[in-house]
Amino acid sequence: MKHVIALAAGGTGGHLFPAEALARELMARGHDVVIHTERRGAQYTQALAGIAHVVLPASSLEGGVAAKVRAVLTILRGLLASRSDMKRRKVTAVVGFGGYPSFAPALAAKSLGLPLLLHEQATHLSKANRQLLRFADGLATSFPQVAGADGFDTGRIVETGNPVRQSILAARGDYPAFGDDLPLRLLVVGGSQSAAVFGRVVPPALLALPAGIRQRLQVSLQYKGDDADAIARQLHDAGVDARVQPFFDDMGQRLRDAHLVVTRAGATTAADLLTIGRPAIFVPLPHGGAREEQKRNAETLAQAGVGWHVPEADLTPDALAALLRQAFTSPTRLPDAARAAAALGRPDAASRLADAVERLL
């Protein structure tokens, strides 16, 4: 039976990309889908191509009393707009992907008596999902164990994995050949906002490596600083084959080719790595609302053998050089970590999540 399903997603890629993946799976099954997001999410035009979407007013509840009052009024406007759209489209269920912009559509769903399924991308419930859990009819998780859902009926929790983009699924493949005299491919990415710390720490760490390793390195460094060209020249002069760019639009290919990734620890980044099966050095955000979430993700994945968790305060050139030297000189450490990553990957996550939605209906 054909249904109309609304997906509520925050404005970051970490929320919007899983929503996109589910949307395309549901559409392939014959359902109609609309994504309710906010201004930032609407900027992901490629992800939203061919998918109906609504841009809602949204605001965080952080700040003082005056800021909270303004935020509540903004959320109320978003709720009314979302509710009106759901009634017009005859929506039959809502899936929330977290982020404060998901509040309004989730509350609109409950005001209309629609079933609400929450999806959690991380190893710990996000602030938004924790607040919305009381209204939820089901919870889908990306990992076998997710903290913060205490008291919620375990019979209504299903592990689906975190849906990833088609370009990531298409990049799945065997771990690249690894051994003496073969190239060593290092990918350094800091998410959609890049990470200035990687531009400061990674180049001197690479320069500190033995010449035998430097001359085998093929480095892709995402960096937006004004000195990007100077960094690239410095690395080339030291024998490192390096590409320094503000953005890589072929991320699936670069992940597939990489022997090791240096990255933040966001949930979507983790899902991409696990789906393709690549080891990583995880450097969580040092501050902000996502700090604890990323820290827990990094700790969980490091404990599972997927790689290393390095707090940003400990990420010095000397420390990173020592870690890279250890990883690249061991014949087993990186291939073993790649196998651990692949074992946690859920390439069928979109299908499993769509099954959960259909069961809820």
Side-chain angles (χ1 to χ4, degrees):
M1 180 179 176
K2 181 177 180 178
H3 288 272
V4 183
I5 301 161
L7 311 183
T12 68
H15 295 121
L16 194 72
F17 292 153
E20 176 209 353
L22 176 62
R24 299 199 186 282
E25 174 67 23
L26 290 170
M27 290 163 67
R29 298 184 182 198
H31 300 296
D32 288 338
V33 176
V34 58
I35 294 180
H36 286 196
T37 185
E38 49 113 7
R39 166 182 61 80
R40 293 175 304 158
Q43 294 174 353
Y44 290 96
T45 54
Q46 185 173 356
L48 292 171
I51 303 174
H53 60 279
V54 177
V55 180
L56 301 172
S59 179
S60 169
L61 288 168
E62 301 292 334
V65 174
K68 283 183 168 61
V69 171
R70 289 194 297 271
V72 168
L73 293 175
T74 300
I75 292 171
L76 179 58
R77 292 202 309 273
L79 187 158
L80 294 175
S82 184
R83 191 176 191 277
S84 174
D85 183 76
M86 290 179 190
K87 289 180 67 177
R88 181 176 64 83
R89 296 178 190 269
K90 296 181 172 56
V91 166
T92 51
V94 177
V95 184
F97 285 86
Y100 61 82
S102 67
F103 267 104
L107 295 177
K110 299 318 295 179
S111 75
L112 293 169
L114 302 177
L116 172 65
L117 176 67
L118 299 180
H119 180 269
E120 179 53 57
Q121 297 92 53
T123 57
H124 192 283
L125 278 188
S126 67
K127 184 180 295 186
N129 278 347
R130 284 201 308 272
Q131 296 296 324
L132 292 171
L133 194 60
R134 73 192 77 176
F135 305 113
D137 299 283
L139 173 65
T141 67
S142 299
F143 294 92
Q145 301 295 326
V146 173
D150 301 339
F152 192 73
D153 181 3
T154 57
R156 294 188 286 157
I157 301 177
V158 58
E159 181 201 348
T160 61
N162 192 8
V164 299
R165 294 160 287 171
Q166 185 59 43
S167 61
I168 298 299
L169 290 174
R172 298 176 65 221
D174 294 336
Y175 187 69
F178 183 81
D180 294 341
D181 301 324
L182 292 173
L184 299 168
R185 300 189 188 93
L186 178 68
L187 174 62
V188 185
V189 290
S192 59
Q193 300 303 313
S194 187
V197 64
F198 294 159
R200 294 194 304 269
V201 173
V202 171
L206 299 180
L207 296 176
L209 292 172
I213 294 180
R214 288 202 312 271
Q215 291 164 5
R216 294 167 59 199
L217 277 175
Q218 295 178 0
V219 179
S220 298
L221 170 61
Q222 182 195 35
Y223 179 62
K224 296 182 178 181
D226 295 335
D227 55 345
D229 290 341
I231 288 174
R233 285 194 300 270
Q234 185 182 35
L235 292 175
H236 281 293
D237 291 345
V240 178
D241 180 358
R243 293 191 66 182
V244 183
Q245 296 180 193
F247 181 77
F248 294 111
D249 56 9
D250 55 348
M251 190 57 67
Q253 177 71 42
R254 291 185 185 277
L255 281 172
R256 182 174 66 184
D257 292 343
H259 291 99
L260 178 63
V261 183
V262 179
T263 183
R264 293 299 193 190
T268 294
T269 296
D272 290 351
L273 286 168
L274 298 179
T275 298
I276 296 179
R278 295 297 178 264
I281 298 171
F282 296 102
V283 185
L285 284 167
H287 51 74
R291 175 184 180 277
E292 287 304 316
E293 173 190 311
Q294 290 208 5
K295 178 175 179 287
R296 293 186 185 97
N297 291 345
E299 290 172 342
T300 299
L301 293 171
Q303 290 168 3
V306 173
W308 296 264
H309 166 214
V310 181
E312 185 169 311
D314 298 335
L315 188 73
T316 65
D318 288 345
L320 181 59
L323 201 160
L324 291 173
R325 186 163 54 245
Q326 170 195 347
F328 287 143
T329 56
S330 168
T332 59
R333 182 65 181 92
L334 290 178
D336 286 350
R339 282 190 287 273
L344 290 175
R346 296 288 184 270
D348 61 344
S351 176
R352 291 161 65 100
L353 185 53
D355 288 345
V357 174
E358 292 183 330
R359 285 196 297 271
L360 190 67
L361 291 168

